[in-house]
Amino acid sequence: MSCSVFDSKPESRPDWKAYVLCELGQDAHRQAEAHLAACSICHEEVATLRLTLDTLSTLREEEMSRRIAFVSDKVFEPRWWQRGFNKTLFSPTFAAGVLVAIAILIHGSMQTGRTSQAQVDAAVTKAVSQVETRHMQEIQAMYEHLEVRDKQVANMYLSNAALIR
Amino acid sequence: MIFREVEDPDLIAKARRGDVEAYNLLVSRWEKRVYNYLLRLVSNREDAMDVSQEVFLKAYQSLPKLDDPARFSGWLFRIAHNEAFSMLRRKRPETELAGEPRPADLNPRLLPMELSLAVETALGRLNPDQREAVLLKVYQGFKFEEMAEILDCPVSTVKSRLYTALDLLKATLAPMQKTALRGES
C-alpha cells in the first residue's frame, strides 16, 4: 500500500503531529480527516502518534510535599482592631506614657486634700527667696571675678609699657 | 442560586489591590501544575519546590506588570521557565558532573507501572529544549503561539523542538505500548 500524498509531494504531506495535537485550522483538519479515511498508511502514522501521546499521558502528576507559603495565611493574621491594639499597647513610647500618667494620677490622689493654700504660699515664698539668694550669690561671684581680671590686665599693660620704654 | 467560580482575572485584580487571600487562591490553583512542570525540567524535588516558591514570589511582585490578566497562565510559565533555566545555569558544574538528568531520581513508588518508568526514561533522554516543549504541549496543553511566548522563540522553533521530540518518543514508546497492548489482548 502507498500514500499518494507521501509519494508525490513529501512537502505537502499533512502535518499529522499538528493534527493529533489539535493545532490544525478547521479546513486543514477536515482535509486531513478526509485523507485519513482513505489512506491506511497515514492512518497507521496517526495511530502511532496517538499511541505515543497516550503513553506519555500515563505519567502521573506528583503531589507537592508542602504548600507554597511565601505569604502568610489570612486565617492567622490578626484583625484590624487586634493589630491596632498590639501596635499601641506594646510600643515602648506608649507604655512609658501610660506609666507616667499612672504615676501622676497616684501622686495627685495622694496629695489631694492634705495641703492648704497657706502651705502652698509658704512653699512658694521659700522657693522664690532661695532662687533670689542664689542669683545674688552668682552675681557677686561674677563681679569679684571681673575685678580680679581687670587688675591682671592693668598689670600686664603697665609691665609692657615699662619694657617698651 | 447559581454559584460561579471566581475566574483568575478577578483574583488577579483583587491581588493587585493587595488582597493576599485572592493571591493565595490563585497560587493554590496553579502550584501543582507549575511544580510538576519544574520537576520534569530540573529532575529534583527540592529544587522544583524551591523554584516553584521563587516563581510565585516573582509573579506576585510582577503582578502589576501583567498586561492581560487573561493570559496569566502563559505569563506564569514564562517566569517558571526563566527561573528553572537560571537555576540550571547556576548548578551547571554540578549537573555536568552528575551527567544527564536521571529519571530514576524520581520516586519509583509514585510511578509503579513499567510504562510510566519508560516514559520518564524516554523524557529524560530528550535534550532540555525538547523535553520542555513536550511538557508545555502534552502536559500543560499550551498552544504553539503560547509556547513561543513562554520560550521566547519563534513558533517554527517550537514546532521543530516538539516534532523532533515526538519522533524520538514515538520510536521508544510506541513499540513498547504496542507490545503491551498485544499482551493484554
Side-chain angles (χ1 to χ4, degrees):
Chain A
M1 271 193 284
S2 67
C3 171
S4 57
V5 179
F6 274 56
D7 294 345
S8 60
K9 284 183 176 176
E11 69 278 3
S12 65
R13 178 177 169 170
D15 188 349
W16 294 123
K17 292 190 181 80
Y19 173 77
V20 295
L21 294 168
C22 304
E23 287 276 3
L24 285 184
Q26 277 188 341
D27 288 346
H29 191 86
R30 264 196 299 273
Q31 284 171 10
E33 280 191 332
H35 177 80
L36 270 184
C39 177
S40 58
I41 289 181
C42 290
H43 194 273
E44 174 72 18
E45 166 75 4
V46 168
T48 312
L49 279 170
R50 284 207 167 122
L51 197 61
T52 307
L53 292 178
D54 287 348
T55 313
L56 285 172
S57 69
T58 61
L59 191 64
R60 280 184 282 175
E61 275 200 326
E62 280 200 24
E63 292 297 330
M64 301 172 74
S65 55
R66 59 180 190 274
R67 290 280 316 277
I68 302 287
F70 70 92
V71 279
S72 62
D73 205 320
K74 200 82 169 170
V75 171
F76 299 109
E77 280 185 10
R79 293 179 187 282
W80 65 268
W81 58 267
Q82 286 174 316
R83 277 201 301 274
F85 186 73
N86 292 344
K87 208 179 274 181
T88 50
L89 189 66
F90 295 113
S91 76
T93 317
F94 184 79
V98 168
L99 277 177
V100 169
I102 290 168
I104 289 169
L105 278 173
I106 291 170
H107 182 74
S109 65
M110 284 170 72
Q111 296 300 318
T112 309
R114 290 203 305 179
T115 51
S116 65
Q117 187 62 42
Q119 282 175 313
V120 171
D121 289 346
V124 168
T125 311
K126 190 181 169 188
V128 168
S129 70
Q130 280 175 348
V131 169
E132 280 177 348
T133 311
R134 200 171 66 237
H135 279 182
M136 288 303 291
Q137 285 169 349
E138 282 172 0
I139 290 166
Q140 185 62 37
M142 210 159 60
Y143 269 120
E144 284 167 6
H145 175 74
L146 285 172
E147 269 177 33
V148 170
R149 217 176 60 172
D150 282 350
K151 277 179 190 167
Q152 284 174 343
V153 170
N155 287 338
M156 204 169 66
Y157 269 114
L158 287 173
S159 59
N160 281 348
L163 280 173
I164 291 165
R165 268 192 239 113
Chain B
M1 190 186 274
I2 298 169
F3 290 100
R4 186 180 69 90
E5 195 188 31
V6 184
E7 304 281 348
D8 282 356
D10 298 335
L11 293 174
I12 291 163
K14 282 185 179 179
R16 276 174 164 171
R17 290 196 295 269
D19 187 337
V20 180
E21 205 172 339
Y23 191 68
N24 269 335
L25 186 52
L26 205 57
V27 171
S28 68
R29 279 184 187 179
W30 288 95
E31 61 183 358
K32 194 175 170 185
R33 281 181 65 179
V34 169
Y35 169 75
N36 272 277
Y37 163 71
L38 291 168
L39 179 61
R40 307 295 171 207
L41 272 187
V42 302
S43 304
N44 178 294
R45 281 197 186 80
E46 273 308 304
D47 287 344
M49 198 67 220
D50 290 346
V51 179
S52 299
Q53 198 136 337
E54 200 61 35
V55 167
F56 283 103
L57 177 61
K58 283 242 163 97
Y60 186 69
Q61 288 166 341
S62 313
L63 217 48
K65 292 183 207 159
L66 173 62
D67 296 328
D68 182 4
R71 299 168 83 174
F72 175 73
S73 60
W75 178 79
L76 184 65
F77 274 80
R78 169 111 191 99
I79 296 175
H81 161 86
N82 286 341
E83 287 300 310
F85 276 80
S86 149
M87 195 277 286
L88 286 173
R89 270 194 296 275
R90 278 198 307 272
K91 294 186 83 172
R92 184 167 285 166
E94 203 179 307
T95 313
E96 279 171 0
L97 282 174
E100 64 180 28
R102 291 166 297 162
D105 284 349
L106 301 170
N107 188 352
R109 280 182 303 164
L110 291 175
L111 305 161
M113 294 183 300
E114 260 185 31
L115 217 50
S116 291
L117 286 170
V119 170
E120 275 191 48
T121 310
L123 284 173
R125 282 185 187 145
L126 300 176
N127 74 35
D129 290 337
Q130 293 165 350
R131 186 163 56 244
E132 192 176 23
V134 174
L135 294 175
L136 290 171
K137 183 70 201 170
V138 178
Y139 296 102
Q140 304 300 335
F142 284 109
K143 291 276 173 198
F144 287 155
E145 285 79 12
E146 292 172 317
M147 290 169 69
E149 279 182 23
I150 292 167
L151 302 173
D152 195 25
C153 64
V155 170
S156 56
T157 308
V158 168
K159 284 170 85 170
S160 160
R161 287 176 186 173
L162 181 63
Y163 286 8
T164 309
L166 283 179
D167 282 336
L168 293 168
L169 291 169
K170 190 175 72 174
T172 316
L173 298 175
M176 205 176 292
Q177 179 77 308
K178 278 177 185 166
T179 311
L181 288 174
R182 269 199 295 272
E184 277 175 19
S185 57

